[in-house]
């Protein structure tokens, strides 16, 4: 896992022996291999040396670090206004804006301590708090930020100037964000299943960035770029700069849009000058998981030509999921139930997001508290406007203790065209009925047309959910437990030249994006959420009615929402008390907008 694999063969020869079909078989083989079963867990380390965890912070040694200002405490925008069109005036693209964007998305949110143990938590959630996601900024003509490529250092809240230079055929203030993954951070603890978790984390980071951009009045635009080109753009293919350091996987590229009139632009470096050597995170790894490198290579995305057209069968996402809008009607306005936190400052709520470690098993909540959360999952509003134009991940909700909603299983479909498949797999020949009282209550609350389909009543489901979620009480003690179901077969495509192996990453990105919605909407409702990556895959599928070997739907992520029980033994400290104040940049600049020498 310490070497970048060569680019995959993306040619699309005919028939089931084409390179694309072969890569899909590798993806499917990995997915089966990495499943947890009731009789066995996916392969992982037999022991962990907690005193020798990988360094949670990557640095590029020798690259110039520019500290960013900390300004989240000065943000006065309430959370519920974040979703009102035109409520936020766009800030200029400059160093202050970039600092706030990253402070509200990829930065530290607190330091925690229990006894002798002290650790950092971040704004963007991560499996096991391991944080495989790395953030990058590409800048041009931004006041206070040098042109070129920067790596974001979250502990320092600063930018490491990885490559200096300008982008060709581009003028005026421009900025792009990119994300990459260090698979070893997750594999150190979770073994072969770790690739899934790293991809879910990309979806979480995508949602965190979109919420943060909205606070600034900005949007984010997906930039189509193949994995090989993105690795070259970020310098991830520079062997000499990594040595024995753990390599990073290219994931995705976003353009920051402060003005809707700004054209879509792909950054094309003219002549960059590189600096910095990647720090090594784990000098004494005890295990190797070569299957992760195999699935990473098999699922790389195809290259994109200069016109923005992708390789065979890519299905480049649109900027807004129109299919969702057609299902849910108009973009709903956020309703604010009594006792919620939706009137609190957006910056406060974003930074206070935490994964609940325990839920109050006796707590109950009224349906009105959960309705905004459920409606948002079916809505085209942010951050889901960064998802695919045709959503492939649907929500199955297991309701435990919600007043006004009978205990049992409910479906939230997210794509109208998927309804026949969902009914065939989950409902058999039973005629589905939308829960009409719930729809009327949602409509009266200003939440649009909520399509919540009751599948079955089951007041004794909590114990089953605890078992399915690796025997964790989080599954039984929550108010609501959710399974995010991906259209697996349809997404990966047929076993011929129409195969789309990169859709495997896309499915987990979409599931992680939904997870970020659940985290923040739970906080806004005065509750808490917890993402669960450990669950028994095929036992869950059997509960849903899938026969062994039927992969039309696959559960990609589990999530629980409830009333948290806080651990009083854990103390909290501010995230950047260790940092000196950041001074404003000098007023004098050269012709390129860089600080004058």
């Amino acid at each position: 896992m310490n070497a970048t694999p060569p680019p995959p063969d993306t040619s699309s020869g005919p028939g089931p022996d084409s390179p694309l079909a072969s890569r899909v078989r590798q993806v499917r083989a990995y997915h089966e291999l990495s499943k947890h079963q009731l009789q066995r867990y996916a392969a992982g380390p037999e022991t962990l040396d907690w005193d020798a965890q990988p360094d949670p912070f990557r640095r590029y040694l020798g690259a110039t670090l520019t500290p960013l200002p900390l300004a989240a405490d000065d943000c006065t925008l309430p959370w519920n206004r974040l979703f009102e069109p035109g409520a936020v005036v766009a800030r200029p693209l400059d160093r202050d804006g970039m600092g706030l964007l990253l402070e509200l998305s990829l930065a530290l949110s607190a330091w925690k301590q229990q006894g002798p143990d002290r650790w950092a938590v971040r704004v963007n959630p991560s499996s096991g708090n391991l944080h495989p996601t790395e953030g990058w900024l590409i800048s041009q003509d931004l006041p206070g930020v040098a042109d070129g490529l920067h790596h974001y250092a979250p502990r320092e809240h600063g930018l490491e100037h990885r490559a200096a230079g300008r982008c060709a055929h581009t003028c005026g203030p421009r900025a792009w964000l990119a994300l990459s993954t260090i698979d070893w951070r997750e594999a150190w603890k979770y073994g072969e299943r770790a690739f899934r978790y790293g991809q879910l984390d990309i979806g979480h980071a995508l949602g965190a960035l979109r919420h943060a951009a909205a606070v600034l009045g900005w949007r984010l635009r997906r930039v189509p770029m193949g994995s090989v080109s993105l690795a070259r753009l970020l310098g991830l293919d520079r062997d000499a700069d990594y040595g024995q350091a753990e390599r990073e996987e290219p994931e995705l590229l976003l353009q920051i849009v402060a003005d809707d009139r700004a054209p879509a632009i792909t950054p094309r470096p003219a002549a960059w000058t590189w600096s910095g050597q990647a720090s090594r995170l784990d000098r004494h790894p005890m295990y190797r998981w070569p299957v992760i490198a195999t699935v990473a290579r098999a699922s790389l995305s195809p290259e994109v030509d200069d016109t923005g057209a992708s390789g065979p069968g890519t299905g480049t996402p649109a900027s807004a999921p129109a299919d969702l809008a057609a299902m849910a009607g108009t973009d709903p306005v956020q309703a604010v139930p009594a006792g919620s936190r939706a009137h609190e400052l957006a910056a406060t709520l974003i930074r206070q997001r935490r994964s609940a470690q325990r839920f109050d098993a006796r707590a109950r909540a009224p349906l009105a508290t959960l309705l905004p959360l459920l409606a948002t999952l079916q809505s085209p509003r942010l951050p889901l406007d960064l998802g695919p134009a045709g959503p492939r991940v649907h929500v199955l909700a297991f309701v435990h203790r919600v007043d006004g909603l009978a205990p049992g299983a409910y479906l939230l479909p997210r794509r109208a065209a998927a309804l026949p498949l969902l009914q065939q797999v989950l409902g058999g020949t039973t005629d589905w009925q939308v829960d009409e009282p719930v729809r009327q209550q949602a409509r009266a609350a200003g939440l649009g047309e909520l399509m919540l389909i009751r599948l079955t009543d089951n007041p004794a489901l909590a114990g089953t959910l605890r078992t399915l979620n690796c025997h964790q009480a989080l599954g039984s003690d929550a108010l609501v437990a959710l399974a995010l179901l991906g259209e697996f077969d349809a997404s990966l495509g047929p076993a011929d030249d129409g195969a789309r192996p990169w859709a495997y990453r896309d499915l987990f990105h979409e599931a992680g994006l939904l997870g970020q919605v659940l985290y923040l909407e739970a906080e806004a409702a005065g509750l808490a959420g917890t993402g669960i990556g450990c669950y028994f895959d095929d036992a869950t599928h059997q509960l849903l009615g899938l026969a062994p070997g039927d992969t039309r739907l696959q559960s990609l992520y589990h999530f629980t929402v409830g009333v948290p029980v806080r651990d009083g033994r854990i103390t909290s400290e501010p995230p950047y008390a260790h940092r000196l104040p950041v001074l404003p940049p000098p007023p004098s600049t050269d012709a390129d907008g860089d600080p004058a020498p």
Side-chain angles (χ1 to χ4, degrees):
M1 294 177 60
N2 285 336
T4 298
D9 185 348
T10 57
S11 60
S12 54
D17 295 326
S18 70
L20 287 178
S22 175
R23 289 167 56 194
V24 164
R25 286 195 295 271
Q26 290 177 317
V27 164
R28 287 182 173 274
Y30 168 79
H31 189 72
E32 290 298 319
L33 183 70
S34 61
K35 286 181 175 179
H36 289 324
Q37 306 289 0
L38 283 169
Q39 65 274 20
R40 64 151 182 87
Y41 288 91
E46 297 176 359
T47 183
L48 291 174
D49 182 357
W50 291 99
D51 293 327
Q53 295 183 60
D55 189 338
F57 302 109
R58 164 146 285 175
R59 292 294 306 275
Y60 281 87
L61 308 177
T64 301
L65 175 71
T66 301
L68 292 169
L70 294 163
D73 287 340
D74 300 326
C75 290
T76 60
L77 178 73
W79 169 260
N80 60 329
R81 294 207 66 200
L82 201 62
F83 308 96
E84 296 178 13
V88 185
V89 177
R91 301 196 187 192
L93 287 173
D94 57 16
R95 186 182 73 148
D96 289 348
M98 294 304 149
L100 183 56
L101 175 73
L102 293 167
E103 186 182 359
L104 294 178
S105 56
L106 305 182
L108 306 188
S109 57
W111 286 92
K112 298 289 185 178
Q113 186 158 351
Q114 181 179 1
D117 298 322
R118 186 172 185 267
W119 65 96
V121 293
R122 304 193 198 183
V123 174
N124 56 312
S126 173
S127 301
N129 198 35
L130 296 172
H131 291 285
T133 303
E134 297 293 321
W136 301 83
L137 172 68
I138 302 168
S139 62
Q140 182 154 308
D141 295 333
L142 297 187
V145 180
D147 289 345
L149 173 70
H150 304 262
H151 171 256
Y152 176 61
R155 179 175 52 193
E156 294 76 14
H157 187 52
L159 297 174
E160 294 181 301
H161 200 188
R162 182 80 172 91
R166 295 178 62 79
C167 294
H169 312 300
T170 303
C171 60
R174 297 281 185 267
W176 297 264
L177 296 165
L179 297 175
S180 60
T181 297
I182 304 176
D183 286 323
W184 180 247
R185 281 228 184 93
E186 294 286 344
W188 172 82
K189 181 178 180 181
Y190 295 116
E192 290 181 342
R193 198 171 171 92
F195 183 78
R196 298 182 179 209
Y197 299 161
Q199 297 305 305
L200 287 172
D201 275 12
I202 290 295
H204 281 301
L206 190 63
L209 286 165
R210 181 65 183 97
H211 279 119
V215 172
L216 289 135
W218 298 347
R219 291 192 304 105
L220 299 177
R221 178 184 290 149
R222 297 286 289 263
V223 179
M225 180 171 285
S227 297
V228 173
S229 293
L230 183 56
R232 187 180 307 119
L233 177 68
L234 303 180
L236 306 182
D237 61 350
R238 294 175 57 82
D239 293 340
D241 293 348
Y242 284 86
Q244 295 299 311
E246 298 81 359
R247 301 302 285 261
E248 302 183 28
E249 284 285 322
E251 298 292 352
L252 53 85
L253 179 65
L254 304 163
Q255 182 180 352
I256 300 175
V257 181
D259 183 346
D260 288 338
R261 296 169 297 179
I265 298 176
T266 300
R268 308 288 184 190
W272 280 1
T273 302
W274 294 87
S275 62
Q277 301 286 316
S279 62
R280 191 170 183 182
L281 308 178
D282 188 353
R283 295 191 176 277
H284 305 288
M286 297 177 62
Y287 296 90
R288 298 291 185 201
W289 308 108
V291 69
I292 294 180
T294 299
V295 69
R297 180 178 182 272
S299 60
L300 292 176
S301 59
E303 293 306 291
V304 179
D305 64 28
D306 290 337
T307 67
S310 305
T314 57
T316 302
S319 58
D323 193 61
L324 276 179
M327 285 183 57
T330 58
D331 193 356
V333 176
Q334 175 77 31
V336 185
S340 79
R341 300 179 59 202
H343 285 304
E344 292 190 19
L345 298 183
T348 300
L349 191 145
I350 286 171
R351 290 183 295 165
Q352 288 183 352
R353 178 222 59 84
R354 299 287 184 270
S355 293
Q357 303 302 307
R358 290 175 56 206
F359 290 124
D360 184 346
R362 301 165 300 175
R364 304 187 65 86
L367 175 59
T369 299
L370 274 298
L371 276 179
L373 182 150
L374 297 174
T376 300
L377 294 172
Q378 230 175 28
S379 164
R381 77 174 195 180
L382 71 91
L384 296 177
D385 56 353
L386 273 182
R392 295 282 187 171
V393 179
H394 309 278
V395 183
L396 187 63
F398 301 98
V399 174
H400 297 327
R401 295 181 309 282
V402 178
D403 294 331
L405 206 56
Y410 297 79
L411 177 68
L412 276 166
R414 300 187 58 249
R415 188 167 68 96
L419 286 173
L421 170 64
L422 293 169
Q423 184 166 10
Q424 184 180 23
V425 175
L426 302 177
T429 58
T430 304
D431 290 334
W432 280 8
Q433 297 293 327
V434 174
D435 194 310
E436 192 59 35
V438 171
R439 175 151 66 177
Q440 291 178 8
Q441 188 171 343
R443 187 186 299 139
L447 294 169
E449 298 293 324
L450 176 59
M451 290 186 61
L452 185 67
I453 299 171
R454 181 180 297 188
L455 299 181
T456 181
D457 293 342
N458 190 335
L461 195 58
T464 301
L465 267 293
R466 176 173 183 151
T467 299
L468 292 179
N469 288 295
C470 296
H471 308 289
Q472 298 178 84
L474 288 166
S476 59
D477 295 350
L479 300 172
V480 178
L482 306 106
L484 305 186
L485 308 178
E487 299 175 36
F488 199 74
D489 289 349
S491 298
L492 294 177
D496 54 24
D497 56 329
R500 298 178 294 273
W502 48 87
Y504 191 61
R505 295 188 191 228
D506 294 340
L507 284 171
F508 281 103
H509 294 176
E510 186 180 345
L513 182 60
L514 288 171
Q516 188 67 5
V517 170
L518 286 165
Y519 265 121
L520 291 181
E521 289 296 330
E523 292 284 340
L527 304 170
T530 295
I532 299 178
C534 185
Y535 54 87
F536 297 117
D537 296 62
D538 286 340
T540 300
H541 300 148
Q542 183 179 1
L543 177 69
L544 304 181
L546 283 163
D550 187 345
T551 56
R552 288 175 294 172
L553 295 179
Q554 293 286 279
S555 189
L556 305 174
Y557 194 17
H558 287 194
F559 204 95
T560 51
V561 176
V563 176
V565 176
R566 309 296 182 186
D567 190 338
R569 299 170 299 173
I570 300 176
T571 60
S572 183
E573 302 173 10
Y576 292 105
H578 60 282
R579 239 190 55 162
L580 295 174
V582 177
L583 299 176
S588 177
T589 58
D590 62 21
D592 292 333
D594 297 329

